[in-house]
Amino acid sequence: MLLTLLLACAPTSGTWMFTKDVTPATGDECTDDVIHNFVGAYEPIEAGDDPSWTETETGALSAEVFFARIEGAGDGAVLIVGTEALPGALQDDGSWLFYWTSATDGADSLDHLTGYTYDHSFATSSTLRVQGTFTGGSFEGTYDSETQSTDSWAESDTWADEAAAIVGGTGAVPASDYLLRIDTAGVEGAASNTQAEYDCGVAGCTLTVSESCAYRYPLSGVRTDFTPADSRWVEDAGQAAGS
């Protein structure tokens, strides 16, 4: 009985034509977050963040069409879309989930004998996810794309001239790219970590910038009669959204 159920739910191997409806996307917003300890510094206010402004955008795009190959792989299946290979498995609710997450992280640091220290770490990830239910030669589900990135910096608040020969008079933390500050003359300008002044709270200056984006689209598909030998006809075929 279990084998019969699995076979009934398993996707049919072959070449599938998928249609992605890009207009009613949900979760298609990017969120940014800047955390720092620069005294008196703040992020620039954009029109979209000012409650005095109301911004409205409308638009519509025709659906995107693309071809993909589905084949069995071990106890599950694999979905090949262009150069992307997404391993898949049957879920408890009877749907199939195909996904892959690519991730990169790293760090670098700089230290000087006079006491100057600098540390930087970063992490990025990108996830492509297709989930839905196969019924015979048709598919109904969703297409998700998610990205995340985080950069963190830490640096001494003041440093000697010997270290300034390498990191300059405003240090290596890119505070000026993200923060503003009003100087003693009342003029607004980019914030920075200056060599001879205490610009940050506690000990040292810190800055963390993160961004997260998520997109979800309805996705439907039908199995075609193309064979593996026909792959050259469909691997680059399709319709871009809006075309």
Side-chain angles (χ1 to χ4, degrees):
M1 182 67 176
L2 178 59
L3 179 59
T4 302
L5 177 62
L6 289 176
L7 290 175
C9 296
T12 304
S13 295
T15 300
W16 288 69
M17 182 178 71
F18 288 101
T19 301
K20 184 171 68 173
D21 191 354
V22 299
T23 299
T26 57
D28 57 337
E29 294 185 0
C30 294
T31 58
D32 302 293
D33 193 19
V34 177
I35 301 173
H36 65 93
N37 70 343
F38 282 74
V39 177
Y42 52 91
E43 295 178 66
I45 298 177
E46 300 179 0
D49 300 324
D50 188 340
S52 301
W53 292 92
T54 299
E55 183 177 3
T56 303
E57 294 183 9
T58 60
L61 296 173
S62 58
E64 177 183 349
V65 177
F66 62 91
F67 289 88
R69 185 83 187 167
I70 296 178
E71 293 293 347
D75 295 331
V78 61
L79 173 66
I80 301 174
V81 185
T83 59
E84 301 280 353
L86 308 178
L90 181 65
Q91 306 300 293
D92 292 339
D93 62 0
S95 68
W96 275 79
L97 172 62
F98 300 88
Y99 81 96
W100 186 260
T101 297
S102 300
T104 302
D105 61 76
D108 57 272
S109 62
L110 187 64
D111 298 277
H112 195 272
L113 289 175
T114 58
Y116 172 85
T117 62
Y118 166 82
D119 294 286
H120 171 227
S121 62
F122 64 90
T124 63
S125 67
S126 176
T127 299
L128 181 59
R129 183 184 299 107
V130 172
Q131 184 168 10
T133 303
F134 292 89
T135 305
S138 64
F139 170 90
E140 292 294 334
T142 55
Y143 181 106
D144 292 86
S145 176
E146 301 172 359
T147 58
Q148 293 183 331
S149 65
T150 301
D151 273 284
S152 294
W153 296 268
E155 181 180 43
S156 301
D157 202 342
T158 61
W159 54 93
D161 290 339
E162 293 88 341
I166 298 298
V167 300
T170 56
V173 174
S176 60
D177 292 340
Y178 304 98
L179 302 173
L180 297 175
R181 175 188 280 149
I182 298 177
D183 63 20
T184 55
V187 178
E188 183 182 68
S192 63
N193 180 20
T194 52
Q195 176 188 353
E197 299 179 11
Y198 289 99
D199 299 284
C200 304
V202 196
C205 294
T206 61
L207 173 66
T208 297
V209 178
S210 60
E211 180 182 71
S212 177
C213 298
Y215 300 83
R216 166 167 288 187
Y217 306 98
L219 184 69
S220 60
V222 293
R223 188 183 184 280
T224 72
D225 292 330
F226 286 111
T227 67
D230 298 320
S231 61
R232 67 183 184 278
W233 296 107
V234 297
E235 59 186 7
D236 296 322
Q239 297 291 342
S243 63

